Amino acid sequence: MKVNHINITPNMKILELINQLGEAGVLGAGRTFRATKLLAKMIKDPEMKIFLSVAGPMVPGGMRNIISKLIKDGVIDVLITSGANITHDLLESFGGHHYRDCGFDDEKLHEQGMGRIGDVYTNSNDFEVFEKEITKILEKISQEKKVTSIQELVYQIGSHIEDDESIIKAAHEKKIPIYAPGIIDSMLGLQLWMFTQTNNLCLDALADMHQLSDIVFESKKIGAILLGGGVPKHYALASSLLKGGVDAAIQITMDRSETGSLSGAPLEEAKSWAKARAGSNLVTVIGDATILFPLILAGALDMAENDK
């Protein structure tokens, strides 16, 4: 087959653009098309449970509503993320925001009470509100439970959130579990530690594996959407190890494979560990997930809808 050249026309729909990328079929264009096609197939398969893992500043980077809607619409069955993304979801739920166009003089930013994540900014005043509000919620939770799993803690926090755009609230209402194995490495984790200095609340980090392994063994097929790498990526893949690995997976990452890090590892490498099945459908797209995932998701939803 030959490489066809991409045609762009006025008023193109997203799926038309995706299909044009598929007509080229090579490099990033081809990978984006194949990832879109695979995601549509995953969404359409009633036997497939979809795990979404989210690493990096996806909530500060504008992806909050996308993740929340995936939960509300029943597209994903499990969310695995960092404590930081949970923190930033809560920060907005408590009335805070993420900001842009504040400059790159970091010493000046510090003096102004601003923290920087690339070109995303946070305000220390918003974190002060976060600290007060999460402490109130933890006080309520600790009155009922002294020992809890990380997933159960996040689930209970969700019951106290009023913001309809919140990821955590949506997960609570739809009973979609959120796993955050690295929760201590975040501002939420710091607040949890500070809370336990004067209150009786203990997190059982191993307890989540009981529920997660049950989900894995009860699923006929498992598909993974991996945005970024790190602990969330490994947790999503390793959870299916005892069952022979995932059946399908899409990875969007900026990390490289040469250093041997898991974050940049090609998905095919997971087959050697039985974290992906032999013959599984795997697509890696190299690039910024805040650009690529909205494009791929929009195309996949159109593909799935047109395939009805």
Side-chain angles (χ1 to χ4, degrees):
M1 296 178 65
K2 68 175 183 177
V3 174
N4 294 306
H5 297 287
I6 298 169
N7 289 313
I8 301 296
T9 59
N11 302 314
M12 286 184 78
K13 294 183 178 180
I14 288 178
L15 186 53
E16 292 174 334
L17 173 59
I18 294 290
N19 284 332
Q20 278 298 305
L21 299 182
E23 284 295 312
V26 294
L27 304 178
R31 288 173 177 266
T32 300
F33 172 77
R34 291 191 293 275
T36 304
K37 192 174 180 180
L38 175 55
L39 182 55
K41 185 177 180 181
M42 290 164 60
I43 292 170
K44 287 285 293 180
D45 191 340
E47 295 184 341
M48 183 166 286
K49 297 288 186 182
I50 299 179
F51 290 21
L52 172 64
S53 82
V54 180
M58 295 296 108
V59 170
M63 303 279 280
R64 186 179 188 233
N65 288 351
I66 290 176
I67 298 169
S68 179
K69 195 168 190 305
L70 286 172
I71 294 170
K72 293 174 183 177
D73 292 347
V75 175
I76 62 171
D77 302 281
V78 171
L79 175 61
I80 303 171
T81 190
S82 62
N85 277 310
I86 293 174
T87 297
H88 288 284
D89 180 65
L90 289 170
L91 183 142
E92 294 213 9
S93 294
F94 298 146
H97 301 283
H98 295 92
Y99 307 93
R100 63 186 184 184
D101 302 326
C102 297
F104 295 94
D105 186 333
D106 292 295
E107 293 183 6
K108 184 177 180 181
L109 287 169
H110 175 69
E111 292 173 358
Q112 295 172 342
M114 301 295 287
R116 182 166 71 90
I117 311 167
D119 62 352
V120 182
Y121 304 84
T122 61
N123 191 304
S124 59
N125 292 331
D126 292 341
F127 273 105
E128 289 177 9
V129 174
F130 162 79
E131 291 168 7
K132 292 176 183 177
E133 294 300 321
I134 195 61
T135 298
K136 292 177 186 177
I137 293 173
L138 293 175
E139 286 173 347
K140 294 175 183 177
I141 292 173
S142 64
Q143 290 174 5
E144 301 176 2
K145 287 198 170 191
K146 303 304 179 186
V147 179
T148 184
S149 70
I150 296 171
Q151 183 275 324
E152 179 64 22
L153 174 68
V154 176
Y155 180 77
Q156 290 300 327
I157 291 173
S159 69
H160 296 278
I161 302 302
E162 297 181 358
D163 178 14
D164 289 334
E165 295 181 353
S166 169
I167 294 169
I168 299 171
K169 179 182 180 181
H172 177 86
E173 292 180 343
K174 298 293 289 188
K175 294 182 169 55
I176 297 298
I178 297 177
Y179 298 102
I183 194 171
I184 194 65
D185 186 25
S186 67
M187 289 299 293
L188 175 57
L190 178 62
Q191 290 304 307
L192 283 166
W193 173 75
M194 293 174 64
F195 182 80
T196 60
Q197 302 308 294
T198 54
N199 296 272
N200 189 10
L201 178 65
C202 180
L203 283 185
D204 183 349
L206 298 178
D208 284 351
M209 289 303 297
H210 299 299
Q211 183 191 49
L212 184 55
S213 62
D214 285 344
I215 294 173
V216 170
F217 281 104
E218 291 168 2
S219 302
K220 291 185 178 180
K221 299 177 186 176
I222 298 173
I225 305 167
L226 311 170
L227 306 183
V231 172
K233 173 185 174 181
H234 185 260
Y235 207 69
L237 292 176
S239 65
S240 65
L241 188 150
L242 295 178
K243 200 181 177 185
V246 297
D247 297 275
I250 296 162
Q251 171 178 237
I252 303 176
T253 182
M254 290 282 284
D255 294 296
R256 297 178 64 91
S257 62
E258 287 84 353
T259 62
S261 72
L262 178 86
S263 294
L267 286 176
E268 287 73 18
E269 185 178 293
K271 293 179 180 179
S272 70
W273 297 91
K275 297 172 188 174
R277 291 185 181 278
S280 54
N281 197 345
L282 309 172
V283 180
T284 295
V285 186
I286 305 298
D288 185 337
T290 65
I291 303 170
L292 289 167
F293 186 60
L295 179 65
I296 290 169
L297 176 61
L301 291 173
D302 278 354
M303 278 189 185
E305 182 69 23
N306 292 342
D307 195 36
K308 285 184 177 180

